[in-house]
Amino acid sequence: MTQNTSAQPLILGGAQTPRAALPVLPPLALYIHIPWCVRKCPYCDFNSHTASKVLPEQEYVDALLADLDQDLHAVYGRELSSIFFGGGTPSLFSAAALGRLLEGVEQRIPFARDIEITLEANPGTFEQEKFVAYRKLGINRLSIGIQSFQQEKLKALGRIHNGDEAVRAAGMARQAGFDNFNLDLMHGLPDQSLDDALSDLRQAIALKPTHLSWYQLTLEPNTVFWNQPPTLPEDDTLWDIQEAGQALLAAHGYAQYEVSAYAQPGRPARHNLNYWSFGDFIGIGAGAHGKLSHPDGRIVRTWKTRAPKDYLNPAKSFQAGMKELTNEELPFEFLMNALRLTDGVEARLYAERTGLDLASLDEARREAEQSGLLQVEPSRLAATDRGQLFLNDLLQKFLS
């Protein structure tokens, strides 16, 4: 499939003072967006669309590879450390389609020997034979969207599976050969009590995933829940859930390494870690975002056409826009990611990943330290426990 590239994408930002050349480029990842779901959930603000009975697998894989071709000039000579299939529900695609796609990607960009390849999947799409085939393709990690095990909560969230199917999905993943998988679980659900939330968490822990994404439901614009808000727990209940849940996870060996991510020893998601430490990633697929560093110091964010019908239209450009980050924007952009990590990052990484002098942060660092939001640690950039709770207040101190 070919795509019209004559239309120039929107470029924001003008000329700026050149930054230092980057001494080493960060790890490179690939995000692949597959935008179709069986049904759109009322809380979801991702770029997802209800699937028709027959998905355009062949056409979409062709488009993804053509999209990747247009980004190759910016990553020549580099290798992929991770790949993440997100959505939507990528597990709606057949193993044959994903296999052709992975083969095409590897022909264009070499894979690291220990590459992590994650596929998002929902329990309602699990078929044992299909997931065995996924594993044979080299996909070595699953992220399973559970959200809750309780039927009334799943119904309120618009999920297509029930609690028994959620439990079976984890077992099927292990039987298919996946010894590394994440469970996505929400708390702060409509009318949820502390006991409800901890019951869900205990059930998830009992399934022994290597990783848990445990995060609070929020009402996002342009969703059904935003326009028709459900009754959510009071703030005191939400706080009790957060505290009790974190204690329960820690007691079972799940260390928190990011605001909403918990992992067994040695099992944090490498793709996520690369993202939060301001690594590079190509984004292909409808609505996908990317961020690429260049040896001359430029750091560019890109985003792709959102609507699947437009993404598949050869007359339209894959790329909807791009923006080169300015010197003034970079401190906030870097720290917005890095400070979500509970241990933060080594301070030296700031200069390595942005091309800016670490000393330029000195005044803001002192103010954040004096406010009790940033750890007093010269060799690291890390939020305190209080800083994690008031992350927006902390980040405001680094706005130009």
Side-chain angles (χ1 to χ4, degrees):
M1 176 176 179
T2 60
Q3 196 89 0
N4 176 23
T5 59
S6 60
Q8 292 299 309
L10 175 65
I11 301 178
L12 304 176
Q16 59 175 308
T17 304
R19 286 187 292 275
L22 299 180
V24 59
L25 293 176
L28 178 66
L30 173 65
Y31 175 75
I32 302 172
H33 192 76
I34 296 179
W36 292 283
C37 285
V38 174
R39 183 169 64 201
K40 179 84 170 179
C41 296
Y43 60 84
C44 179
D45 69 334
F46 296 144
N47 185 35
S48 58
H49 305 263
T50 301
S52 58
K53 289 185 178 180
V54 179
L55 288 173
E57 286 189 339
Q58 179 171 330
E59 296 90 340
Y60 197 69
V61 169
D62 288 344
L64 287 168
L65 292 173
D67 187 0
L68 181 59
D69 283 337
Q70 294 184 14
D71 287 336
L72 289 182
H73 69 280
V75 297
Y76 181 75
R78 301 170 71 178
E79 67 176 20
L80 287 175
S81 61
S82 66
I83 297 173
F84 194 100
F85 289 93
T89 307
S91 53
L92 290 177
F93 266 38
S94 67
L98 296 187
R100 186 165 73 87
L101 175 56
L102 283 172
E103 182 179 359
V105 172
E106 191 170 17
Q107 288 172 352
R108 290 159 171 81
I109 310 178
F111 289 4
R113 185 182 306 175
D114 61 346
I115 189 170
E116 175 191 88
I117 305 178
T118 301
L119 177 78
E120 284 188 340
N122 286 330
T125 66
F126 262 73
E127 300 166 18
Q128 190 67 53
E129 185 177 342
K130 186 191 228 182
F131 280 81
V132 169
Y134 287 156
R135 186 67 189 90
K136 288 179 179 178
L137 295 177
I139 296 170
N140 50 24
R141 186 175 180 273
L142 292 179
S143 182
I144 307 172
I146 301 292
Q147 314 315 346
S148 177
F149 295 93
Q150 298 167 35
Q151 188 56 36
E152 69 276 11
K153 300 296 186 289
L154 290 167
K155 183 178 179 180
L157 293 173
R159 304 295 289 174
I160 64 169
H161 66 272
N162 59 40
D164 290 341
E165 287 175 316
V167 172
R168 285 199 298 271
M172 289 171 69
R174 194 170 274 111
Q175 291 169 21
F178 290 95
D179 61 355
N180 188 14
F181 65 91
N182 168 67
L183 296 182
D184 251 12
L185 201 65
M186 284 184 178
H187 60 86
L189 304 181
D191 299 312
Q192 188 179 50
S193 66
L194 172 60
D195 287 344
D196 288 338
L198 293 183
S199 174
D200 268 349
L201 201 49
R202 289 190 187 97
Q203 176 63 81
I205 291 169
L207 297 174
K208 298 183 178 179
T210 49
H211 190 285
L212 271 162
S213 297
W214 188 61
Y215 52 96
Q216 183 179 322
L217 171 65
T218 55
L219 305 185
E220 302 292 345
N222 302 314
T223 65
V224 172
F225 273 4
W226 180 262
N227 295 313
Q228 303 170 32
T231 302
L232 300 182
E234 299 289 338
D235 287 346
D236 286 348
T237 301
L238 292 173
W239 179 255
D240 290 344
I241 290 172
Q242 186 75 28
E243 280 199 317
Q246 288 181 332
L248 183 62
L249 285 161
H252 285 84
Y254 290 91
Q256 184 179 16
Y257 70 93
E258 189 265 337
V259 170
S260 58
Y262 304 78
Q264 292 181 342
R267 293 297 192 143
R270 277 188 283 146
H271 187 89
N272 294 354
L273 280 175
N274 183 54
Y275 182 86
W276 299 125
S277 58
F278 214 53
D280 279 356
F281 54 98
I282 306 168
I284 60 173
H289 285 239
K291 174 249 170 186
L292 290 175
S293 306
H294 298 261
D296 61 7
R298 289 179 300 118
I299 298 173
V300 178
R301 290 198 180 277
T302 58
W303 52 98
K304 303 299 172 68
T305 299
R306 282 181 61 86
K309 66 179 179 60
D310 291 335
Y311 186 82
L312 289 169
N313 184 348
K316 294 183 180 290
S317 174
F318 291 122
Q319 187 162 284
M322 65 186 299
K323 175 179 172 57
E324 181 178 341
L325 297 178
T326 67
N327 294 359
E328 291 73 28
E329 292 168 325
L330 271 170
F332 183 85
E333 286 274 340
F334 178 89
L335 293 166
M336 177 178 62
N337 293 282
L339 293 180
R340 287 183 63 96
L341 294 168
T342 52
D343 291 334
V345 297
E346 292 184 44
R348 63 170 180 77
L349 207 63
Y350 178 76
E352 287 184 14
R353 301 275 162 99
T354 67
L356 300 176
D357 189 345
L358 178 63
S360 65
L361 296 181
D362 283 352
E363 183 177 346
R365 285 181 77 177
R366 279 193 298 270
E367 185 179 341
E369 290 166 358
Q370 290 166 4
S371 301
L373 300 175
L374 194 71
Q375 292 183 22
V376 182
E377 178 58 63
S379 65
R380 295 198 72 77
L381 291 165
T384 61
D385 289 344
R386 185 167 181 268
Q388 287 281 325
L389 290 174
F390 299 99
L391 195 55
N392 287 339
D393 294 338
L394 172 54
L395 291 171
Q396 288 295 317
K397 298 186 182 299
F398 294 93
L399 280 173
S400 297

